[in-house]
Amino acid sequence: MIAPPPSGPVPYARDFARQLLTDMLRIRRMEEKSAELYGAGKIRGFLHLYIGEEAVAVGALHALQAEDNLVTTYREHAHALVRGMPMDVIMAEMYGKREGCSLGRGGSMHLFDKRTRLFGGNAIVAGGLPVAAGLALADKMQKTDRITACFFGDGAVAEGAFHETMNLAALWQLPVLFCCENNRYAMGTALERSESQTDLCAKAASYKMPTIKTDGMDVVAVHEATREAQAQVRSGAGPLFIEYQTYRFRAHSMFDAELYRSKAEVEEWKTRGPIHTFSARLKQEGKLSEEEFLALDAEVNAEVAAAVTFAEAGTWEPLEHMLADVYTPAGGQL
Amino acid sequence: MIDNTNKKRISYRDALHDGLREALQQDPRVFLLGEDVGRYGGTYAVSKNLLDEFGPERIRDTPLSELAFVGMGIGAALGGMRPIVEVMTVNFSLLALDQIINTAAIYHHMSGGQFSVPLVIRMSTGAGRQVAAQHSNSFEGWFAHIPGIKILAPATIDDARHMLAAALADPDPVLLFEHAALYNMEGELPADGSVDIKSAKVRRAGTDVALITYGGSLPKALQAAEALAQENISAEVLDLRVLRPLDTGAIVASVRKCHRAVVIDEGWRSGSLSAEVMARIMEQAFFDLDAPVARVCAEEVPIPYARHLEEAALPQPEKIITAVKALLGESA
C-alpha cells in the first residue's frame, strides 16, 4: 500500500505557491508535447520523461541559490527548465538544432548551461557524482559559499562511483547536496530486486553523512526538506543525502513496454500525482480558482507551442563545423 | 659543441618532481591529488616532500577510488581549479576509464563549447620491472584513440621537466604517461627552458632507416641506433612525444628522408598506436618507401613475471637491430 495523497496546508504566499504549480505544469506540458513529437519523429534518440516526478525538481531547485552548481542525469529536462533554461532552447536541443543549449550535439540527455551553472545531464548512471564532488572541492578550496546539488536516481546507488563519492565527500566535508530521486525502478529493475539494503538513507548514513527522507510527490515536503538541507550544507557542515520518494508515471524511455510493473500500481501512484494534489490544496485554501488554473494551463500551453515553433524554425549546425570544439579553440577558456 | 655550463645532471624522477613543484609554486589553483601522493611521497617518489612545502589542502592523499578522484579532478577543473590527478599506474586507470572517456573527453564538445576541462592526469606506464601482467600494461595507445583528450609521453629529462607546465597551460584534459623504467634515468637538463606539446622530435638524425618510437622504448631505440652506427647503418630516431594529436608531418618527414621505417612500441601490435603510425605512413608516404614498414612491439601475451620471459616479450635493442637489418636486406 502506498501513502495517502499529499494534503494539508500550503505554507506559502499565493505568488510563490503559484510559481511552484506553474513550474510543475510547465514540465508536464513540455514533456507531454515532447512525447508527441517523439512519435512524430521530430525528437529522436533517447527521451526520458519526468512526468510524475515534477514536485522533486520544482520543490528542490526553488530552494537553491542562483549561484549554486547543478549536476544532473539524462532525465533532466525538468531541472534545466526550473533552473532557468528557456523552454525554447531545451526544445531546440531535443530537435538537434543549433539553437539548442549545446548546439544540438547532446539532445535530450545532455542539457548544459554555463549561465545557470548547469554542468550537464550525464547519461552514465552515477557519472555525475564524482564531478559534483569535484565542483564542491573547488568551491571549498576557493572559499565560496556556493553548494553543488547533484541529482541522480535510485539506480545510481548500485554503482561504485556512488560509494566512492559518498566516502570522499564525507571524508573531506564537501559542500554537496546529494539529491536522490528514488522512483523505485532502475530502468525496469525494482529496488528490492537489486539491493540488499533498500533503505537508501542507510547507505549514505554508513558514510557518516546526515540524511533526510521526504515525500517526493509533495512539492511542499520537497521544498521544506531541501531548504533545510541546503542551509545545512551551506553552513559548512559537509555533504547531506536527501532521498525524494517519487514515482515516474511514464515508461523509462520511449522504448519501454513496461513489462516489469502493473498498470494498477501506476494508477495507484497517480492518485498521489504532484500537480493535481497540489492544485487541489491551493483551491481548498482559496489560493487558486478553477478559472485561474485553466488560465495558467493555457499560458503554459502557449509557452510550449512557442517552444515548438522556435525549434521547428531552428537551423542545423553546418557539417563544416563538425570537428569544431573537440578541443578548446586557442586562447579560449583560460 | 654543447655548452655544459648551463646544464645540470638530474634524474627523470627529479625532473618530474621539479616540474610539479614549480607548477604548485607558480599557480595557487594547482593542486595534486591521488593515492599516496602526500605522506608516502608518491609511489615513485615524484611528489616527495611536497606535502611539507604545500600542505594537505594542495597535496591531497585519496582513498583507493580512482573513478571518484579522477571525476573529482574533472569537477574541480570545471570549478576553476587546475588539478593534477596522479593515478598510480596506467593499470589502475582502467577503474577510471568512464570518467576519462565519457566525461572529460566529451565535455567541451557536447556542451556546445560552453565548458572546458583543464585537467592534467599523470600516471606511470609500462613493463620491464618484473611486476607481472596486472602491473605491466602500456595503454597509452588506447587513450590516444579518444578524441577530446591529449596524450603525452615524456621520454627525456627535458620533457619530464617541462611537459607538465605545457599540459597545465592547455585548456583541455591532458594525460601524461611516465614510463616506470625511466624514473632512474639520468641526463643533462638545460638551466631553463620549455617544451611544446605539439611536435615529435628527432633525437638522433640518420639517413638509412627511421626508428619511430616514444616513451620507454626511446632509450632502446637510441641504443640500437648507436650499435647500428658501428656497422655503418645510419638510423634516425624519432620520438613521438605527443601520442594524440600525432605529429604526422614529422613521421612523414623522417620516412621521406630514410625511405625505411621501423615502429617500436611497448603496446601490443594488434589495433595499436604502432598500427596507426604505419597506416599514416601508408596514406601519406607510401611512394617514398623502399621497403614495407616493420614493427617491434610487445609480444601478444600478458606480460610474464619471470625475467627471461619478460625481456623476450618486450621490444629490445637486439630486436630493433634485427628488424632494421631485415629491412635493409641483411641477415641479422
Side-chain angles (χ1 to χ4, degrees), chain A residues 114 119 127 142 164 327-328 333, chain B residues 79 99 107 114 116 149 172:
Chain A
K114 195 169 189 174
F119 290 89
Q142 293 168 111
E164 293 185 12
Y327 296 97
T328 306
Q333 303 275 349
Chain B
Q99 286 293 328
Y107 230 100
Q114 294 184 79
S116 293
I149 55 180
D172 296 311

Side-chain angles (χ1 to χ4, degrees), chain A residues 101-102 105 110 112-114 119 122 124 127 130-131 134-135 137 141-142 164 172 324-328 333-334, chain B residues 57 60-61 65 67-68 72 75-76 79 82 98-99 102 107-110 113-116 148-149 169 172 244:
Chain A
C101 57
S102 309
R105 294 173 185 168
H110 303 294
F112 291 84
D113 188 20
K114 195 169 189 174
F119 290 89
N122 192 317
I124 303 298
V131 176
L135 283 160
L137 176 61
M141 292 181 78
Q142 293 168 111
E164 293 185 12
W172 289 354
D325 297 328
V326 174
Y327 296 97
T328 306
Q333 303 275 349
L334 281 173
Chain B
E57 274 283 296
R60 288 184 170 264
D61 281 320
S65 303
L67 184 58
M72 287 175 69
R82 305 310 299 265
D98 174 59
Q99 286 293 328
N102 262 327
Y107 230 100
H108 185 68
H109 183 264
M110 205 167 69
Q114 294 184 79
F115 295 107
S116 293
I149 55 180
D172 296 311
R244 184 181 191 98

Side-chain angles (χ1 to χ4, degrees), chain B:
Chain B
M1 289 307 293
I2 297 166
D3 174 10
N4 280 321
T5 53
N6 284 331
K7 295 195 169 196
K8 65 170 179 174
R9 204 162 172 81
I10 186 172
S11 70
Y12 180 87
R13 169 187 292 107
D14 289 343
L16 289 164
H17 170 275
D18 292 355
L20 192 51
R21 182 164 176 249
E22 182 184 71
L24 287 154
Q25 284 170 335
Q26 288 186 348
D27 188 343
R29 300 172 303 171
V30 172
F31 69 103
L32 176 69
L33 79 166
E35 293 154 358
D36 278 321
V37 297
R39 288 207 187 168
Y40 190 97
T43 305
Y44 295 96
V46 171
S47 52
K48 200 173 172 185
N49 299 327
L50 295 182
L51 176 63
D52 293 338
E53 185 173 354
F54 299 101
E57 274 283 296
R58 297 182 69 199
I59 307 295
R60 288 184 170 264
D61 281 320
T62 66
L64 284 76
S65 303
E66 288 82 1
L67 184 58
F69 69 71
V70 168
M72 287 175 69
I74 296 168
L78 287 165
M81 300 297 286
R82 305 310 299 265
I84 300 169
V85 174
E86 177 175 312
V87 176
M88 194 182 288
T89 81
V90 71
N91 309 286
F92 315 148
S93 76
L94 303 189
L95 296 163
L97 273 185
D98 174 59
Q99 286 293 328
I100 296 170
I101 296 170
N102 262 327
T103 301
I106 54 93
Y107 230 100
H108 185 68
H109 183 264
M110 205 167 69
S111 67
Q114 294 184 79
F115 295 107
S116 293
V117 181
L119 167 68
V120 175
I121 305 175
R122 297 172 40 238
M123 61 185 100
S124 67
T125 185
R129 298 173 311 120
Q130 282 197 269
V131 288
Q134 289 183 330
H135 286 74
S136 298
N137 289 301
S138 296
F139 289 139
E140 52 275 21
W142 273 15
F143 284 104
H145 179 66
I146 315 296
I149 55 180
K150 295 182 181 176
I151 308 299
L152 310 182
T156 64
I157 300 299
D158 208 23
D159 278 348
R161 175 64 181 80
H162 297 298
M163 262 187 172
L164 180 67
L168 283 166
D170 195 284
D172 296 311
V174 179
L175 276 62
L176 203 146
F177 290 87
E178 302 163 3
H179 197 285
L182 298 181
Y183 284 115
N184 291 328
M185 175 179 78
E186 290 193 352
E188 303 288 339
L189 180 71
D192 49 47
S194 64
V195 299
D196 71 72
I197 52 168
K198 290 192 173 99
S199 61
K201 284 202 163 39
V202 174
R203 300 297 186 189
R204 179 187 176 113
T207 52
D208 296 333
V209 60
L211 305 181
I212 301 170
T213 189
Y214 69 92
S217 297
L218 177 65
K220 295 174 179 177
L222 288 167
Q223 220 178 308
E226 185 62 31
L228 288 164
Q230 305 301 317
E231 301 183 45
N232 291 321
I233 298 169
S234 169
E236 174 148 306
V237 178
L238 182 69
D239 176 7
L240 293 172
R241 300 178 66 249
V242 184
L243 309 187
R244 184 181 191 98
L246 267 179
D247 183 357
T248 309
I251 295 168
V252 168
S254 280
V255 171
R256 291 213 168 121
K257 185 174 163 197
C258 301
H259 306 290
R260 291 175 187 82
V262 180
V263 184
I264 303 118
D265 182 1
E266 206 176 294
W268 295 299
R269 71 177 61 206
S270 302
S272 67
L273 186 75
S274 64
E276 178 62 29
V277 171
M278 293 171 80
R280 292 196 190 194
I281 293 171
M282 193 202 64
E283 287 165 347
Q284 299 190 33
F286 183 76
F287 294 107
D288 293 287
L289 288 170
D290 285 348
V293 181
R295 267 191 289 185
V296 178
C297 297
E299 301 296 328
E300 305 230 346
V301 291
I303 304 301
Y305 159 71
R307 187 170 175 177
H308 68 294
L309 288 174
E310 183 183 42
E311 282 178 357
L314 299 176
Q316 302 296 354
E318 302 71 37
K319 290 186 181 183
I320 300 168
I321 292 165
T322 303
V324 168
K325 288 184 175 174
L327 273 194
L328 293 166
E330 298 175 17
S331 55

Side-chain angles (χ1 to χ4, degrees), chain A residues 311-333:
Chain A
E312 285 283 345
T315 57
W316 305 110
E317 185 171 21
L319 279 180
E320 309 84 75
H321 288 195
M322 189 161 67
L323 299 181
D325 297 328
V326 174
Y327 296 97
T328 306
Q333 303 275 349

